[in-house]
Every structure is written in C-alpha cells, then in structure tokens.
Amino acid sequence: MLRRFLRSEDGNFGLLTGLLMVPVIGVAGLGVDLSNAMLVKNELQAVADAAALAGISDNSSGYKEAMTMPQDGIIIVGQDDAKRLFMGQVASQTGYVVKDVAVSVKREGINITSSIDYAAEVPTSLLRILGKTSIPIRGSATATYKTATFQDFYLLLDNTPSMGVAATPADVDRMVANTKDKCAFACHIVKDGVEDPNSYYNLAIKLGVTTRINVVAQATAALMDTASSVRKVANQFRMAVYTFGEKAEDTKLMEVTSLTADLKVAKQRASMIDLMSIPY
C-alpha cells in the first residue's frame, strides 16, 4: 500500500494549487496594499503641503514674527503653527499611523522657508499572509516666501526759486495775465526776515495758482500714502525728507523730517514744504 501511494499521481493538481496559493495571494496582496499606501501617501502629502504654506502665509504668526526679527534665525511660532495644523488634519483619520513629524521654519535674508518631513505606517491586509504587517511611507513638503524688503527713503526735494514757476499752462496764463511784467514765476521775496507782501509768491497764493513746489509736495504726500498702503508691517518703510534750504542764503540742507517709520507724520511735514525765499 505504501508503494502504491508513493507511485500514485492522483491529486497532484490540488496539491500544487494549495502550495501556490500562498505566493499568489501574497502577490495580489502586494498590489492591493501598495495601492492603499499610495493613496495614504497622497493624502499626507496634501496635508504637509498645506501645513508648510500655513506656517509662512501673509497672515500667519510665523510671517509676522519673521518681519520683526532683528536677524535671521528659526521661527518657533511658525514651526508650532505648521505642526499643529498637520497633526490636526491627521488626528481624526484612520487607516494609517503617523510615527514622526519634523517641522522647520526659518528666515534667511528676505526668504522664509517652511519644511515638513513626516513618516507613517499603513497596516496591510493580504500581505499579512507573508508576514508583512505594515508599509512605511515617508514624505516632505517645502514652501518658500520672499518677504518684502525693508527700505529707507531719503528724499531731497527741490524747493529752489525755479520751482516757483506755475505748474500748468492754465496757471502760467493766470500769472502772466495778473503781473505787470507778464511773469509766470512766483518769486518768494524775504529780505532781512521781512516778507514782501507784494511778491508774486503771495500773488500766486491769492490767485490759487499751483506752482511746481506745490506739485512736489503733492507727489511726496502720494508716495507716503502708497508706502502706507503696501507695507506689510509698520516699520517696513522709513522716510527722511530734506529741502535745499529755507532761504537762498542758507548753506546747508533743511531737515523737514528725520528718518521715521511714522509715515503719517512724514506726510504731514512734507506737505508743508515751502518755496525757498530770495532777498530780491
């Protein structure tokens, strides 16, 4: 009976099928579990991308901190925000386990860089038959924000007598029509500290004529408004304003306002710049 059993070929197919089922199921399980792992990887990557951006966005604490830092370095509050967002997004998810999250947010020059590295494990299903209980996945996300530069503006405004000319053809015509010598210049005459009430400077004011110095003052005020509207933080732009002097006899520049980040004050003082006076 033993010899007949050993020589018998009945049931070979069933035996081979049974032996092959293990690798067949393993290969099928590999495809299913790898596909699931890729879906998890894509999900975590999207979360990491969002967290990296959130750590340095315009309205983030990290960005605000970076703009006030006296020098380059790590931005702790940005790192905390990015990690908190990442963990908040994955906390309620199932189907994987996050093993590690490393976040770095730092400022280097005008660049703020946020990076996130993560590691997770995805439990397997069919691969367990081969002894593989989980698939490790890793990924990273990086975002860079170029901050606006900090700038100091030193304005030297031309208030010399030539800037007393009427600013437009209509203003020129008005001055010419109202001066005995057909002059379009509003000369500002002050001698020995005494204002000449008959100077064309006072006539221009009376007639409501716009002179070039008025245009300079308006343009300077507009610059202050523009700087105020586009700055990200209060000290991003600072202004200092000077003229060539209060009167022609001056030998040094006149400081209208020293370097300041208070653009409202700079605008108010610049709006009051006046035409340089001459003695005759």
Side-chain angles (χ1 to χ4, degrees), residues 150-166:
F150 287 80
Q151 292 181 323
D152 290 339
F153 293 83
Y154 292 87
L155 309 181
L156 177 57
L157 307 181
D158 185 1
N159 69 326
T160 55
S162 64
M163 299 303 285
V165 69

Side-chain angles (χ1 to χ4, degrees), residues 37-277:
M38 287 302 298
L39 291 175
V40 171
K41 172 71 181 296
N42 290 339
E43 180 180 329
L44 286 175
Q45 190 63 46
V47 174
D49 289 341
L53 288 171
I56 57 174
S57 63
D58 272 350
N59 297 319
S60 68
S61 300
Y63 175 82
K64 294 175 182 176
E65 178 71 17
M67 293 296 282
T68 60
M69 290 169 60
Q71 58 189 13
D72 294 346
I74 300 298
I75 308 172
I76 301 297
V77 66
Q79 294 181 165
D80 292 343
D81 285 349
K83 187 171 184 178
R84 189 180 303 113
L85 188 148
F86 183 91
M87 297 306 298
Q89 290 292 314
V90 303
S92 61
Q93 302 300 316
T94 58
Y96 58 86
V97 179
V98 175
K99 292 294 186 179
D100 185 44
V101 180
V103 181
S104 173
V105 179
K106 58 185 177 181
R107 194 193 84 177
E108 293 178 325
I110 66 170
N111 294 327
I112 308 175
T113 303
S114 173
S115 61
I116 296 179
D117 296 285
Y118 62 88
E121 289 185 354
V122 182
T124 59
S125 54
L126 295 177
L127 274 181
R128 289 177 180 272
I129 197 171
L130 299 180
K132 187 72 173 178
T133 59
S134 64
I135 297 176
I137 57 175
R138 293 180 176 274
S140 63
T142 302
T144 300
Y145 187 105
K146 290 187 180 295
T147 66
T149 55
F150 287 80
Q151 292 181 323
D152 290 339
F153 293 83
Y154 292 87
L155 309 181
L156 177 57
L157 307 181
D158 185 1
N159 69 326
T160 55
S162 64
M163 299 303 285
V165 69
T168 69
D171 288 314
V172 170
D173 291 341
R174 189 175 298 112
M175 283 294 294
V176 169
N178 287 274
T179 53
K180 59 185 179 180
D181 52 356
K182 309 300 182 183
C183 183
F185 281 86
C187 293
H188 187 191
I189 301 174
V190 177
K191 189 172 184 179
D192 298 329
V194 179
E195 177 91 26
D196 180 359
N198 297 316
S199 68
Y200 289 173
Y201 171 81
N202 291 306
L203 174 63
I205 294 176
K206 181 180 178 181
L207 294 173
V209 168
T210 299
T211 60
R212 293 302 302 169
I213 191 62
N214 300 139
V215 175
V216 169
Q218 293 164 7
T220 305
L223 172 63
M224 305 297 179
D225 289 338
T226 300
S228 297
S229 66
V230 301
R231 64 184 175 183
K232 301 296 184 180
V233 290
N235 64 334
Q236 184 178 350
F237 302 129
R238 297 187 300 179
M239 303 279 184
V241 182
Y242 303 85
T243 66
F244 283 105
E246 186 176 9
K247 53 185 183 296
E249 298 93 318
D250 290 343
T251 57
K252 62 179 181 179
L253 300 180
M254 175 182 174
E255 183 181 84
V256 178
T257 180
S258 59
L259 193 64
T260 179
D262 191 338
L263 302 185
K264 185 177 180 179
V265 168
K267 175 184 176 180
Q268 189 270 333
R269 292 179 180 175
S271 69
M272 296 189 300
I273 62 171
D274 207 352
L275 186 66
M276 178 186 288
S277 67

